[in-house]
Amino acid sequence: MELLEFARGPGLAVSLTVFAIGVAWRIYGILRLGRKPDFSAPRSIQTTAGAWRMILRRMWPHREFYADSAGATFNGYLYHVGWFVAFLAFVPHIAFIERLTGVSWPALPDTVIYVATALAILGLVAALLRRLTDPVLRLLSNFDDYFSWIVTMLPLITGMALIHGGYHDLKQVPPTPYTTPLALHLLSLELLLVWMPFGKLSHAFLVFLSRGTTGAAFARKGAQP
Amino acid sequence: MTDVNIRFPLDLDSPRFSIRKPEVRSDRQGDMTDAERVDRAMQSFMKDFSATTATYMESCIHCGHCADACHFYKVTGDPKYTPIWKLEPFKQAYKREAGPFAFAYRAFNLKPKVTLAELEEWQHLLYDSCTMCGRCTMICPMGIDIATLISQARHGMFNAGLVPHELWAVAERAEREGSPLGATAKVLKDRIEWLADDYEVEIPLDKPQAEVVCTLSSIEIMKYPESIVALAKILNHLGTDWTLRSDGYEATNFGLLSGNAAWQKDMTMKLINAAVAAGARTLVLPECGHAYGALRWQGANIYGKPLPFTVLHISEFLAEQVNSGKLKLKKLDKSVTFHDPCQVSRRGGATQAPRDVLQAMGADLRESRDSGALGWCCGGGGGVVTIHRADELRHAAFDINIRQINATGAEIPVTSCSNCRQTFDDGQAHYQWDKSMNSLLELVADHIAD
């Protein structure tokens, strides 16, 4: 079996399955511990609205924290937005998702994608440098932080390696003569899918649960989100 | 009592700034083997692991932002004071014993067992250097409520007999005598008689029935007794049917601060039972921060059902009175800045109430750069002010308050927490600062319009 065939077939199926089961298990593992009822007289019963308010409010730091955290937050936006633009708005990626799901949407020009990818890479490098040099981050960091960084970076690097070949007829299977680099690119995505439920990358879904929990509790108390 | 008492005799009655160089140490209470201590800490941790705890434990992305919100980190630059790091053994226990992948953590020993040495090292981080002020919660991009987790981790530390000794001692005294500072029911009665005579004000004690039951902080009873007079003046002026009760007056809760859940319950139930016995419609909490969290937000959960009365912080009670027009106040001809007690404002949601009261006095309110829910802790909350060996760190953190308040140019700082006030008094003496903290309650009493 060619590597690309593996990546497109069993590799993809297995990684998606591990991703789905892993995410479900992680969430179940959290919720199974249960919560006690809260009998305190609420200042507000709009707890769902409070959860969403916190989810939105924490997308940018409070003014009081700008001096310390705005830079890192901005850099976070750089690599998050860059990564997702490259992932979701690139012609071949949309074609790939359409083949899998039948759903498609308009793409952004290739130049935008290249810029987004470059910014994402720069942002991730900056984040890594900060992690390696800041005493607080050095103390907190463990295997998960560095491995998650590698897993996030690999699709960008392997994708950049493909760019010089261009993409040809997208309907053609395989769509490009560069089968091994393409296989590696796809495998890097699959590695990310497999790792996601287990490490810190799961903040992609836990962010809603975590901010929402505090947001609801704070709304109940009438505290500022 | 343990040998620590002999080696480090306690002096709970001297001014707080009397001990210049406290010996750094890790305290132990009770006679337990090392293994028993660890086991007891683990059992307690396990008991506290809920879906909420798990959500937070699973969500940390190690971004380190919480350090920048913590006064102890800001003034030292020492990474060990990063709030989430203070929870490392708790987190380690969670991942190994209770998380969704605990089996893997155990099977491959990815997270080793928590050791006694770790717990002893973390005593300084969980107690001396955390006031549970929750400012870190406000910066966390994942919204993790670290203060709640610290409170849970303290349960394990208490059960393992690993509490800073002064905090343990005042908590034990509070449980045994009914007050952490020796303000027993008899002392209270004597004080009230003395205050009523000296200030010619009626202070009802132990009325069998009353619409409003008021509670006090030991700090007020022992250090700021004029607060009790102020309370009486205002309530008598309003014609309120109120009382203090010797079976439930002490609103501070050192069970909560030290991490003893059973004592926390005992202390909370005294207040609840007193208010129920009096048939009260309202229980008013004193100028105390953690008392608010303990009763307003945790009381009903300890009671096991909704409380049959309303719980108000004194600042909320005063705000209700001025907002409804029942209490008219004379003008306060001074510029003021308000220091928010963390547990009432940031963590309690009653940020506006004191501002309404100051506005009713027509005060020139000058907010500090970081105020309201984002204000800085005085540094003495969470029981930290009782811990002698933490004095140096607490004083360092207090400097933030001096800078913030000085920058407002306000003539007087005002707060609504006697623990903040005591910490400010101590900080003022330490730095020979020219500003004294004022009590909102006392200001109001001095400005009642006839």
Side-chain angles (χ1 to χ4, degrees), chain B residues 15-41:
Chain B
R16 285 295 301 112
F17 39 90
S18 61
I19 295 180
R20 296 292 170 203
K21 285 200 173 171
E23 192 162 340
V24 174
R25 61 184 200 269
S26 170
D27 294 343
R28 292 183 178 196
Q29 294 86 32
D31 294 317
M32 284 177 254
T33 64
D34 291 0
E36 272 175 311
R37 287 185 196 274
V38 176
D39 281 350
R40 292 183 64 154

PDB file of all heavy atoms in Angstrom, chain B residues 15-41:
ATOM      1  N   PRO B  15       0.790  43.185  68.477  1.00  0.00           N
ATOM      2  CA  PRO B  15       0.524  43.720  67.138  1.00  0.00           C
ATOM      3  C   PRO B  15       1.165  42.817  66.096  1.00  0.00           C
ATOM      4  O   PRO B  15       2.189  42.201  66.350  1.00  0.00           O
ATOM      5  CB  PRO B  15       1.214  45.088  67.167  1.00  0.00           C
ATOM      6  CG  PRO B  15       1.382  45.433  68.592  1.00  0.00           C
ATOM      7  CD  PRO B  15       1.472  44.136  69.337  1.00  0.00           C
ATOM      8  N   ARG B  16       0.560  42.769  64.913  1.00  0.00           N
ATOM      9  CA  ARG B  16       0.996  41.817  63.918  1.00  0.00           C
ATOM     10  C   ARG B  16       2.422  42.043  63.434  1.00  0.00           C
ATOM     11  O   ARG B  16       3.055  41.162  62.910  1.00  0.00           O
ATOM     12  CB  ARG B  16       0.023  41.840  62.719  1.00  0.00           C
ATOM     13  CG  ARG B  16      -1.268  41.163  62.997  1.00  0.00           C
ATOM     14  CD  ARG B  16      -1.062  39.662  63.238  1.00  0.00           C
ATOM     15  NE  ARG B  16      -0.449  39.033  62.072  1.00  0.00           N
ATOM     16  CZ  ARG B  16       0.751  38.557  62.059  1.00  0.00           C
ATOM     17  NH1 ARG B  16       1.510  38.613  63.133  1.00  0.00           N
ATOM     18  NH2 ARG B  16       1.224  38.010  60.979  1.00  0.00           N
ATOM     19  N   PHE B  17       2.913  43.258  63.571  1.00  0.00           N
ATOM     20  CA  PHE B  17       4.226  43.541  62.998  1.00  0.00           C
ATOM     21  C   PHE B  17       5.340  43.430  64.030  1.00  0.00           C
ATOM     22  O   PHE B  17       6.398  44.004  63.896  1.00  0.00           O
ATOM     23  CB  PHE B  17       4.237  44.918  62.331  1.00  0.00           C
ATOM     24  CG  PHE B  17       3.472  45.952  63.087  1.00  0.00           C
ATOM     25  CD1 PHE B  17       4.100  46.715  64.047  1.00  0.00           C
ATOM     26  CD2 PHE B  17       2.104  46.141  62.851  1.00  0.00           C
ATOM     27  CE1 PHE B  17       3.384  47.662  64.753  1.00  0.00           C
ATOM     28  CE2 PHE B  17       1.393  47.085  63.561  1.00  0.00           C
ATOM     29  CZ  PHE B  17       2.028  47.849  64.521  1.00  0.00           C
ATOM     30  N   SER B  18       5.076  42.654  65.067  1.00  0.00           N
ATOM     31  CA  SER B  18       6.043  42.582  66.154  1.00  0.00           C
ATOM     32  C   SER B  18       7.187  41.609  65.862  1.00  0.00           C
ATOM     33  O   SER B  18       8.260  41.731  66.393  1.00  0.00           O
ATOM     34  CB  SER B  18       5.348  42.166  67.435  1.00  0.00           C
ATOM     35  OG  SER B  18       4.777  40.893  67.261  1.00  0.00           O
ATOM     36  N   ILE B  19       6.910  40.629  65.008  1.00  0.00           N
ATOM     37  CA  ILE B  19       7.942  39.612  64.794  1.00  0.00           C
ATOM     38  C   ILE B  19       8.743  39.997  63.561  1.00  0.00           C
ATOM     39  O   ILE B  19       8.219  40.038  62.458  1.00  0.00           O
ATOM     40  CB  ILE B  19       7.307  38.228  64.639  1.00  0.00           C
ATOM     41  CG1 ILE B  19       6.645  37.839  65.950  1.00  0.00           C
ATOM     42  CG2 ILE B  19       8.338  37.209  64.217  1.00  0.00           C
ATOM     43  CD1 ILE B  19       5.989  36.499  65.939  1.00  0.00           C
ATOM     44  N   ARG B  20       9.995  40.295  63.766  1.00  0.00           N
ATOM     45  CA  ARG B  20      10.791  40.833  62.670  1.00  0.00           C
ATOM     46  C   ARG B  20      11.236  39.758  61.688  1.00  0.00           C
ATOM     47  O   ARG B  20      11.111  39.899  60.490  1.00  0.00           O
ATOM     48  CB  ARG B  20      12.021  41.557  63.231  1.00  0.00           C
ATOM     49  CG  ARG B  20      11.666  42.759  64.064  1.00  0.00           C
ATOM     50  CD  ARG B  20      11.067  43.878  63.229  1.00  0.00           C
ATOM     51  NE  ARG B  20      10.531  44.926  64.080  1.00  0.00           N
ATOM     52  CZ  ARG B  20       9.597  45.779  63.719  1.00  0.00           C
ATOM     53  NH1 ARG B  20       9.062  45.712  62.517  1.00  0.00           N
ATOM     54  NH2 ARG B  20       9.164  46.696  64.540  1.00  0.00           N
ATOM     55  N   LYS B  21      11.822  38.724  62.225  1.00  0.00           N
ATOM     56  CA  LYS B  21      12.343  37.701  61.315  1.00  0.00           C
ATOM     57  C   LYS B  21      11.777  36.335  61.674  1.00  0.00           C
ATOM     58  O   LYS B  21      12.434  35.537  62.342  1.00  0.00           O
ATOM     59  CB  LYS B  21      13.864  37.681  61.381  1.00  0.00           C
ATOM     60  CG  LYS B  21      14.464  38.861  60.661  1.00  0.00           C
ATOM     61  CD  LYS B  21      15.904  38.599  60.298  1.00  0.00           C
ATOM     62  CE  LYS B  21      16.351  39.769  59.442  1.00  0.00           C
ATOM     63  NZ  LYS B  21      17.716  39.841  59.145  1.00  0.00           N
ATOM     64  N   PRO B  22      10.563  36.051  61.226  1.00  0.00           N
ATOM     65  CA  PRO B  22      10.009  34.745  61.558  1.00  0.00           C
ATOM     66  C   PRO B  22      10.812  33.640  60.866  1.00  0.00           C
ATOM     67  O   PRO B  22      11.259  33.816  59.744  1.00  0.00           O
ATOM     68  CB  PRO B  22       8.591  34.825  60.987  1.00  0.00           C
ATOM     69  CG  PRO B  22       8.636  35.896  59.962  1.00  0.00           C
ATOM     70  CD  PRO B  22       9.700  36.845  60.364  1.00  0.00           C
ATOM     71  N   GLU B  23      11.002  32.560  61.573  1.00  0.00           N
ATOM     72  CA  GLU B  23      11.753  31.457  61.007  1.00  0.00           C
ATOM     73  C   GLU B  23      10.924  30.777  59.922  1.00  0.00           C
ATOM     74  O   GLU B  23       9.757  30.481  60.124  1.00  0.00           O
ATOM     75  CB  GLU B  23      12.087  30.466  62.117  1.00  0.00           C
ATOM     76  CG  GLU B  23      13.093  29.435  61.703  1.00  0.00           C
ATOM     77  CD  GLU B  23      13.716  28.774  62.924  1.00  0.00           C
ATOM     78  OE1 GLU B  23      13.647  29.366  64.015  1.00  0.00           O
ATOM     79  OE2 GLU B  23      14.258  27.677  62.782  1.00  0.00           O
ATOM     80  N   VAL B  24      11.545  30.546  58.787  1.00  0.00           N
ATOM     81  CA  VAL B  24      10.827  29.854  57.715  1.00  0.00           C
ATOM     82  C   VAL B  24      10.757  28.383  58.076  1.00  0.00           C
ATOM     83  O   VAL B  24      11.732  27.765  58.464  1.00  0.00           O
ATOM     84  CB  VAL B  24      11.561  30.038  56.369  1.00  0.00           C
ATOM     85  CG1 VAL B  24      10.900  29.206  55.289  1.00  0.00           C
ATOM     86  CG2 VAL B  24      11.554  31.505  55.981  1.00  0.00           C
ATOM     87  N   ARG B  25       9.594  27.848  57.970  1.00  0.00           N
ATOM     88  CA  ARG B  25       9.432  26.462  58.380  1.00  0.00           C
ATOM     89  C   ARG B  25       8.186  25.881  57.736  1.00  0.00           C
ATOM     90  O   ARG B  25       7.377  26.608  57.176  1.00  0.00           O
ATOM     91  CB  ARG B  25       9.288  26.388  59.894  1.00  0.00           C
ATOM     92  CG  ARG B  25       8.068  27.150  60.367  1.00  0.00           C
ATOM     93  CD  ARG B  25       7.959  27.157  61.870  1.00  0.00           C
ATOM     94  NE  ARG B  25       6.582  27.470  62.239  1.00  0.00           N
ATOM     95  CZ  ARG B  25       6.141  28.717  62.468  1.00  0.00           C
ATOM     96  NH1 ARG B  25       6.953  29.726  62.358  1.00  0.00           N
ATOM     97  NH2 ARG B  25       4.891  28.924  62.788  1.00  0.00           N
ATOM     98  N   SER B  26       8.066  24.576  57.829  1.00  0.00           N
ATOM     99  CA  SER B  26       6.844  23.929  57.393  1.00  0.00           C
ATOM    100  C   SER B  26       6.228  23.301  58.630  1.00  0.00           C
ATOM    101  O   SER B  26       6.902  22.588  59.363  1.00  0.00           O
ATOM    102  CB  SER B  26       7.186  22.864  56.350  1.00  0.00           C
ATOM    103  OG  SER B  26       6.048  22.097  56.091  1.00  0.00           O
ATOM    104  N   ASP B  27       4.978  23.616  58.875  1.00  0.00           N
ATOM    105  CA  ASP B  27       4.367  23.181  60.133  1.00  0.00           C
ATOM    106  C   ASP B  27       3.615  21.859  59.979  1.00  0.00           C
ATOM    107  O   ASP B  27       3.135  21.525  58.912  1.00  0.00           O
ATOM    108  CB  ASP B  27       3.385  24.250  60.622  1.00  0.00           C
ATOM    109  CG  ASP B  27       4.093  25.535  60.997  1.00  0.00           C
ATOM    110  OD1 ASP B  27       5.322  25.482  61.194  1.00  0.00           O
ATOM    111  OD2 ASP B  27       3.423  26.573  61.087  1.00  0.00           O
ATOM    112  N   ARG B  28       3.514  21.165  61.094  1.00  0.00           N
ATOM    113  CA  ARG B  28       2.732  19.923  61.123  1.00  0.00           C
ATOM    114  C   ARG B  28       1.845  19.936  62.356  1.00  0.00           C
ATOM    115  O   ARG B  28       2.264  20.394  63.410  1.00  0.00           O
ATOM    116  CB  ARG B  28       3.636  18.697  61.236  1.00  0.00           C
ATOM    117  CG  ARG B  28       4.482  18.425  60.026  1.00  0.00           C
ATOM    118  CD  ARG B  28       5.253  17.152  60.273  1.00  0.00           C
ATOM    119  NE  ARG B  28       6.066  16.806  59.111  1.00  0.00           N
ATOM    120  CZ  ARG B  28       6.595  15.601  58.937  1.00  0.00           C
ATOM    121  NH1 ARG B  28       6.394  14.643  59.837  1.00  0.00           N
ATOM    122  NH2 ARG B  28       7.323  15.353  57.889  1.00  0.00           N
ATOM    123  N   GLN B  29       0.654  19.405  62.214  1.00  0.00           N
ATOM    124  CA  GLN B  29      -0.203  19.204  63.381  1.00  0.00           C
ATOM    125  C   GLN B  29      -0.550  17.722  63.483  1.00  0.00           C
ATOM    126  O   GLN B  29      -0.660  17.035  62.459  1.00  0.00           O
ATOM    127  CB  GLN B  29      -1.501  20.005  63.272  1.00  0.00           C
ATOM    128  CG  GLN B  29      -1.324  21.524  63.293  1.00  0.00           C
ATOM    129  CD  GLN B  29      -1.038  22.107  61.934  1.00  0.00           C
ATOM    130  OE1 GLN B  29      -1.505  21.588  60.928  1.00  0.00           O
ATOM    131  NE2 GLN B  29      -0.265  23.177  61.884  1.00  0.00           N
ATOM    132  N   GLY B  30      -0.756  17.278  64.711  1.00  0.00           N
ATOM    133  CA  GLY B  30      -1.215  15.917  64.940  1.00  0.00           C
ATOM    134  C   GLY B  30      -0.082  14.913  64.854  1.00  0.00           C
ATOM    135  O   GLY B  30       1.002  15.212  64.352  1.00  0.00           O
ATOM    136  N   ASP B  31      -0.356  13.709  65.389  1.00  0.00           N
ATOM    137  CA  ASP B  31       0.636  12.638  65.331  1.00  0.00           C
ATOM    138  C   ASP B  31       0.226  11.652  64.261  1.00  0.00           C
ATOM    139  O   ASP B  31      -0.669  10.838  64.461  1.00  0.00           O
ATOM    140  CB  ASP B  31       0.738  11.927  66.696  1.00  0.00           C
ATOM    141  CG  ASP B  31       1.295  12.870  67.746  1.00  0.00           C
ATOM    142  OD1 ASP B  31       2.257  13.584  67.412  1.00  0.00           O
ATOM    143  OD2 ASP B  31       0.754  12.905  68.873  1.00  0.00           O
ATOM    144  N   MET B  32       0.839  11.747  63.132  1.00  0.00           N
ATOM    145  CA  MET B  32       0.536  10.838  62.025  1.00  0.00           C
ATOM    146  C   MET B  32       1.846  10.421  61.393  1.00  0.00           C
ATOM    147  O   MET B  32       2.823  11.178  61.424  1.00  0.00           O
ATOM    148  CB  MET B  32      -0.290  11.565  60.952  1.00  0.00           C
ATOM    149  CG  MET B  32      -1.733  11.787  61.270  1.00  0.00           C
ATOM    150  SD  MET B  32      -2.499  12.721  59.927  1.00  0.00           S
ATOM    151  CE  MET B  32      -2.672  14.326  60.682  1.00  0.00           C
ATOM    152  N   THR B  33       1.839   9.238  60.813  1.00  0.00           N
ATOM    153  CA  THR B  33       3.038   8.862  60.045  1.00  0.00           C
ATOM    154  C   THR B  33       3.016   9.652  58.737  1.00  0.00           C
ATOM    155  O   THR B  33       1.978  10.201  58.341  1.00  0.00           O
ATOM    156  CB  THR B  33       3.028   7.357  59.709  1.00  0.00           C
ATOM    157  OG1 THR B  33       1.899   7.108  58.846  1.00  0.00           O
ATOM    158  CG2 THR B  33       2.911   6.506  60.955  1.00  0.00           C
ATOM    159  N   ASP B  34       4.158   9.688  58.094  1.00  0.00           N
ATOM    160  CA  ASP B  34       4.245  10.414  56.818  1.00  0.00           C
ATOM    161  C   ASP B  34       3.239   9.838  55.817  1.00  0.00           C
ATOM    162  O   ASP B  34       2.571  10.585  55.101  1.00  0.00           O
ATOM    163  CB  ASP B  34       5.665  10.316  56.240  1.00  0.00           C
ATOM    164  CG  ASP B  34       6.662  11.102  57.083  1.00  0.00           C
ATOM    165  OD1 ASP B  34       6.232  11.693  58.094  1.00  0.00           O
ATOM    166  OD2 ASP B  34       7.858  11.111  56.715  1.00  0.00           O
ATOM    167  N   ALA B  35       3.146   8.516  55.789  1.00  0.00           N
ATOM    168  CA  ALA B  35       2.244   7.875  54.823  1.00  0.00           C
ATOM    169  C   ALA B  35       0.795   8.243  55.116  1.00  0.00           C
ATOM    170  O   ALA B  35       0.000   8.491  54.201  1.00  0.00           O
ATOM    171  CB  ALA B  35       2.424   6.359  54.872  1.00  0.00           C
ATOM    172  N   GLU B  36       0.461   8.305  56.409  1.00  0.00           N
ATOM    173  CA  GLU B  36      -0.918   8.668  56.793  1.00  0.00           C
ATOM    174  C   GLU B  36      -1.252  10.086  56.325  1.00  0.00           C
ATOM    175  O   GLU B  36      -2.351  10.364  55.864  1.00  0.00           O
ATOM    176  CB  GLU B  36      -1.077   8.608  58.314  1.00  0.00           C
ATOM    177  CG  GLU B  36      -1.457   7.238  58.831  1.00  0.00           C
ATOM    178  CD  GLU B  36      -1.480   7.233  60.366  1.00  0.00           C
ATOM    179  OE1 GLU B  36      -0.503   7.701  60.986  1.00  0.00           O
ATOM    180  OE2 GLU B  36      -2.463   6.762  60.913  1.00  0.00           O
ATOM    181  N   ARG B  37      -0.292  10.964  56.480  1.00  0.00           N
ATOM    182  CA  ARG B  37      -0.537  12.359  56.047  1.00  0.00           C
ATOM    183  C   ARG B  37      -0.850  12.407  54.561  1.00  0.00           C
ATOM    184  O   ARG B  37      -1.806  13.060  54.140  1.00  0.00           O
ATOM    185  CB  ARG B  37       0.686  13.233  56.354  1.00  0.00           C
ATOM    186  CG  ARG B  37       0.860  13.541  57.823  1.00  0.00           C
ATOM    187  CD  ARG B  37       2.003  14.508  58.069  1.00  0.00           C
ATOM    188  NE  ARG B  37       2.383  14.495  59.473  1.00  0.00           N
ATOM    189  CZ  ARG B  37       1.801  15.240  60.415  1.00  0.00           C
ATOM    190  NH1 ARG B  37       0.849  16.077  60.103  1.00  0.00           N
ATOM    191  NH2 ARG B  37       2.179  15.160  61.676  1.00  0.00           N
ATOM    192  N   VAL B  38      -0.029  11.711  53.794  1.00  0.00           N
ATOM    193  CA  VAL B  38      -0.246  11.734  52.338  1.00  0.00           C
ATOM    194  C   VAL B  38      -1.600  11.095  52.011  1.00  0.00           C
ATOM    195  O   VAL B  38      -2.380  11.637  51.214  1.00  0.00           O
ATOM    196  CB  VAL B  38       0.895  11.012  51.587  1.00  0.00           C
ATOM    197  CG1 VAL B  38       0.602  10.949  50.098  1.00  0.00           C
ATOM    198  CG2 VAL B  38       2.220  11.722  51.837  1.00  0.00           C
ATOM    199  N   ASP B  39      -1.888   9.972  52.659  1.00  0.00           N
ATOM    200  CA  ASP B  39      -3.171   9.288  52.410  1.00  0.00           C
ATOM    201  C   ASP B  39      -4.349  10.209  52.723  1.00  0.00           C
ATOM    202  O   ASP B  39      -5.320  10.272  51.969  1.00  0.00           O
ATOM    203  CB  ASP B  39      -3.293   8.030  53.284  1.00  0.00           C
ATOM    204  CG  ASP B  39      -2.490   6.883  52.701  1.00  0.00           C
ATOM    205  OD1 ASP B  39      -2.020   7.039  51.550  1.00  0.00           O
ATOM    206  OD2 ASP B  39      -2.314   5.869  53.403  1.00  0.00           O
ATOM    207  N   ARG B  40      -4.251  10.901  53.837  1.00  0.00           N
ATOM    208  CA  ARG B  40      -5.370  11.770  54.237  1.00  0.00           C
ATOM    209  C   ARG B  40      -5.532  12.941  53.271  1.00  0.00           C
ATOM    210  O   ARG B  40      -6.649  13.342  52.956  1.00  0.00           O
ATOM    211  CB  ARG B  40      -5.172  12.261  55.673  1.00  0.00           C
ATOM    212  CG  ARG B  40      -5.303  11.104  56.667  1.00  0.00           C
ATOM    213  CD  ARG B  40      -5.188  11.591  58.077  1.00  0.00           C
ATOM    214  NE  ARG B  40      -6.302  12.487  58.411  1.00  0.00           N
ATOM    215  CZ  ARG B  40      -6.773  12.698  59.614  1.00  0.00           C
ATOM    216  NH1 ARG B  40      -6.232  12.064  60.618  1.00  0.00           N
ATOM    217  NH2 ARG B  40      -7.762  13.531  59.832  1.00  0.00           N
ATOM    218  N   ALA B  41      -4.411  13.456  52.810  1.00  0.00           N
ATOM    219  CA  ALA B  41      -4.494  14.543  51.830  1.00  0.00           C
ATOM    220  C   ALA B  41      -5.152  14.027  50.551  1.00  0.00           C
ATOM    221  O   ALA B  41      -6.057  14.672  49.998  1.00  0.00           O
ATOM    222  CB  ALA B  41      -3.100  15.094  51.538  1.00  0.00           C
TER     223      ALA B  41
END
